[in-house]
């Protein structure tokens, strides 16, 4: 039996602990090399050099050129700049965007806002396994379509979308393609040229870097307008004094993630498969949400019939294990997850959904403890409850 004083973190899709090597890289940039990268004196030059190096490191981690990386405050801002920036090129003209129904709110809410100010949005559906159909995207293209925004990997069910195929369609139709790769970087290979995307969003805190920093990759020649205004930082696309310690940490985390990718993803995949097997071997009436193979190696989104995800989360938390519910019904919003809704999950299962997202430091011992605790938890909850209502 695991020492329950030790807490086990299996919610890495929410955020990750900052790698100690990343903290070490950041520290000098708070009080020692604290210059503003726009200043001309030696303090400024030091910061500017760090910024250039960081840009090259982040670019290298996704196969881009340094000049194509714009530092932002994270995934949300990167998604906003990509979508609003394309639309702003032709202000006053009604334009059309294609996206998917399972995007993160950073994309969906931005598209909803665009709709509110008069643009048209097509939300393509996904299959019961959570994958978009490339033909649906092709059929949705119109003369006024300017952008396709489809996420690389889904944050709830981990499905990986056919971005390379979508890129061919986008190119043939002269439409920009943006992908939100916030969940995929550090888990599966991400190369902007292999994917064929024009824009790609990354967030540092999902890959063992600090929070509040990220990047938007913008392919050379892509026409975008800024959505906030100020000095000419970040090629004029993201004005504001750069967060040098955060950017240095993000760059270090990106380099480490690239170096460790093969080992980390196979280790997480082994643990993830073991969780799924143990759960299916010991618990009845359970489903794995998302695609069997086209999924992130660290994601297991499971639904247990007649159990509430929120109750599971709480009992697991008491047992020292942090996971998240698959259905937002149990947390801040009373609505079921739009992703689980979109894959048409049976209502008996929807509210008993949990997301287990592994990280590079999880172990098989932790997985065994999780599987045993899950079995006990589901059995206990099923004894005390009739079909779950949420
Ligand atoms: N996109 C996806 C797919 C995410 O999972 C998240 C965060 O959970 C974001 C965007 C937002 O990123 P950030 O927290 O850096 O703003």
């Amino acid at each position: 039996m695991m020492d329950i004083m030790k807490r086990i973190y299996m919610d890495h899709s929410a955020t990750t602990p900052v790698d100690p090597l990343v903290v070490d890289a950041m520290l000098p940039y708070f009080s020692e090399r604290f210059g503003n990268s726009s200043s001309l004196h030696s303090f400024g030059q030091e910061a500017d050099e760090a910024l250039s190096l960081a840009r090259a490191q982040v670019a290298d981690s996704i196969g881009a050129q340094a000049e194509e990386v714009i530092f932002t405050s994270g995934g949300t801002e990167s998604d906003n700049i990509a979508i609003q920036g394309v639309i702003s090129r032709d202000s006053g003209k009604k334009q059309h965007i294609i996206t998917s129904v399972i995007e993160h709110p950073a994309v969906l809410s931005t598209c909803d806002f665009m709709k509110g100010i008069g643009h048209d949005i097509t939300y393509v559906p996904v299959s019961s396994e959570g994958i978009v159909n490339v033909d649906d995207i092709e059929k949705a293209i119109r003369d006024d379509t300017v952008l396709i925004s489809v996420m690389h990997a889904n944050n709830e069910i981990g499905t990986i979308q056919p971005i390379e195929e979508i890129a061919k369609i986008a190119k043939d139709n002269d439409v920009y393609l943006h992908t939100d790769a916030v969940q995929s970087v550090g888990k599966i290979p991400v190369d902007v040229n292999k994917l064929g995307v024009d824009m790609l969003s990354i967030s540092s805190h999902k890959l063992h870097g600090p929070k509040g920093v990220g990047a938007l990759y913008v392919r050379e020649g892509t026409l975008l307008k800024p959505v906030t205004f100020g000095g000419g930082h970040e090629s004029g696309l993201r004005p504001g004094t750069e967060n040098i310690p955060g950017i240095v940490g993000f760059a270090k985390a990106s380099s480490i993630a690239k170096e460790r990718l093969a080992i980390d993803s196979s280790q997480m995949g082994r643990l993830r498969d073991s969780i799924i097997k143990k759960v299916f071997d010991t618990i009845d009436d359970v489903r794995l949400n998302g695609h069997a193979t086209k999924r992130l190696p660290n994601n297991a989104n499971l639904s247990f019939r007649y159990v509430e995800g929120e109750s599971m989360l709480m009992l697991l938390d008491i047992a020292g294990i942090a996971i998240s519910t698959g259905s937002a019904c149990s947390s801040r919003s009373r609505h079921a997850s739009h992703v689980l809704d979109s894959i048409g999950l049976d209502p008996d299962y929807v509210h008993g959904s949990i997301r287990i997202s592994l990280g590079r430091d999880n172990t098989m011992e932790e997985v065994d403890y999780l599987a045993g605790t899950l079995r006990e938890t589901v059995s206990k909850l099923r004894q005390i409850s009739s079909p779950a209502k949420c």
Side-chain angles (χ1 to χ4, degrees):
M1 172 84 170
M2 165 126 349
D3 171 9
I4 60 163
M5 293 312 287
K6 179 175 179 256
R7 292 191 302 160
I8 298 172
Y9 187 76
M10 293 189 175
D11 197 16
H12 293 82
S13 295
T15 198
T16 55
V18 180
D19 187 317
L21 294 173
V22 168
V23 176
D24 286 349
M26 292 171 72
L27 282 175
Y29 292 92
F30 286 102
S31 311
E32 198 185 312
R33 300 182 212 154
F34 57 85
N36 182 328
S37 59
S38 302
S39 303
L40 296 178
H41 46 61
S42 64
F43 290 85
Q45 283 169 24
E46 223 165 38
D48 195 43
E49 276 161 26
L51 184 61
S52 300
L53 178 63
R55 205 182 300 284
Q57 285 174 313
V58 171
D60 178 60
S61 73
I62 52 168
Q65 315 268 351
E67 316 76 67
E68 296 173 313
V69 169
I70 304 297
F71 287 115
T72 66
S73 65
T76 303
E77 189 180 18
S78 299
D79 289 345
N80 270 269
I81 296 174
I83 297 167
Q84 297 195 50
V86 169
I87 295 288
S88 312
R89 281 177 324 178
D90 286 310
S91 55
K93 199 170 136 200
K94 186 175 160 202
Q95 296 170 87
H96 177 233
I97 304 171
I98 301 168
T99 189
S100 88
V101 289
I102 61 163
E103 296 300 307
H104 187 271
V107 166
L108 285 181
S109 304
T110 308
C111 287
D112 288 349
F113 173 71
M114 290 293 126
K115 195 173 175 183
I117 59 169
H119 300 287
D120 266 356
I121 317 290
T122 299
Y123 300 91
V124 295
V126 291
S127 67
S128 58
E129 292 175 314
I131 309 276
V132 298
N133 181 342
V134 178
D135 290 341
D136 287 342
I137 295 187
E138 189 155 30
K139 278 186 213 136
I141 294 180
R142 317 187 317 206
D143 287 348
D144 59 347
T145 307
V146 287
L147 178 70
I148 300 169
S149 180
V150 173
M151 69 202 317
H152 193 196
N154 183 264
N155 47 299
E156 292 189 36
I157 56 175
T159 44
I160 300 166
Q161 303 299 334
I163 298 300
E164 293 177 38
E165 286 175 62
I166 300 172
K168 288 194 191 98
I169 293 170
K171 201 163 181 218
D172 288 349
N173 288 278
D174 206 13
V175 171
Y176 284 146
L177 173 61
H178 163 249
T179 193
D180 177 330
V182 164
Q183 293 291 344
S184 55
V185 173
K187 321 273 177 16
I188 54 172
V190 175
D191 182 299
V192 290
N193 293 315
K194 283 202 187 110
L195 289 173
V197 294
D198 300 297
M199 290 172 284
L200 179 142
S201 304
I202 323 178
S203 175
S204 151
H205 74 104
K206 308 288 186 182
L207 44 108
H208 299 273
K211 294 173 182 54
V213 56
L216 178 66
Y217 157 77
V218 183
R219 184 177 292 282
E220 197 189 348
T222 306
L223 296 176
L224 282 188
K225 281 235 174 116
V227 296
T228 54
F229 301 92
H233 312 81
E234 298 302 302
S235 310
L237 273 177
R238 202 283 184 172
T241 303
E242 284 97 347
N243 168 9
I244 301 293
I247 288 170
V248 166
F250 171 32
K252 181 76 183 171
S254 301
S255 299
I256 296 172
K258 187 187 173 201
E259 258 168 49
R260 299 182 48 138
L261 180 67
I263 291 173
D264 285 350
S265 70
S266 78
Q267 154 84 353
M268 290 188 289
R270 212 164 50 85
L271 298 184
R272 189 267 323 265
D273 292 346
S274 172
I275 293 173
I276 295 170
K277 181 168 182 339
K278 288 186 171 100
V279 164
F280 275 82
D281 283 352
T282 58
I283 307 175
D284 291 334
D285 289 328
V286 57
R287 282 190 184 184
L288 174 70
N289 299 313
H291 196 278
T293 53
K294 291 176 193 160
R295 68 185 304 131
L296 293 175
N298 73 326
N299 175 293
N301 187 306
L302 297 159
S303 292
F304 301 86
R305 200 173 187 204
Y306 302 141
V307 180
E308 281 191 30
E310 183 185 33
S311 309
M312 268 191 280
L313 183 147
M314 284 172 175
L315 291 181
L316 288 173
D317 195 31
I318 291 167
I321 304 168
I323 49 113
S324 94
T325 51
S327 159
C329 141
S330 50
S331 51
R332 284 171 196 84
S333 126
R334 297 296 297 171
H335 300 293
S337 142
H338 69 288
V339 177
L340 298 180
D341 219 23
S342 302
I343 60 171
L345 186 63
D346 180 337
D348 280 349
Y349 282 90
V350 165
H351 298 304
S353 304
I354 57 168
R355 179 188 67 185
I356 298 159
S357 49
L358 300 168
R360 57 164 80 128
D361 295 325
N362 286 127
T363 62
M364 195 55 93
E365 193 195 6
E366 291 176 340
V367 162
D368 288 341
Y369 178 63
L370 166 79
T373 312
L374 254 181
R375 186 173 42 79
E376 285 164 25
T377 305
V378 171
S379 153
K380 198 185 291 176
L381 290 171
R382 281 185 177 159
Q383 275 166 28
I384 58 172
S385 72
S386 51
K389 294 186 185 64
C390 191

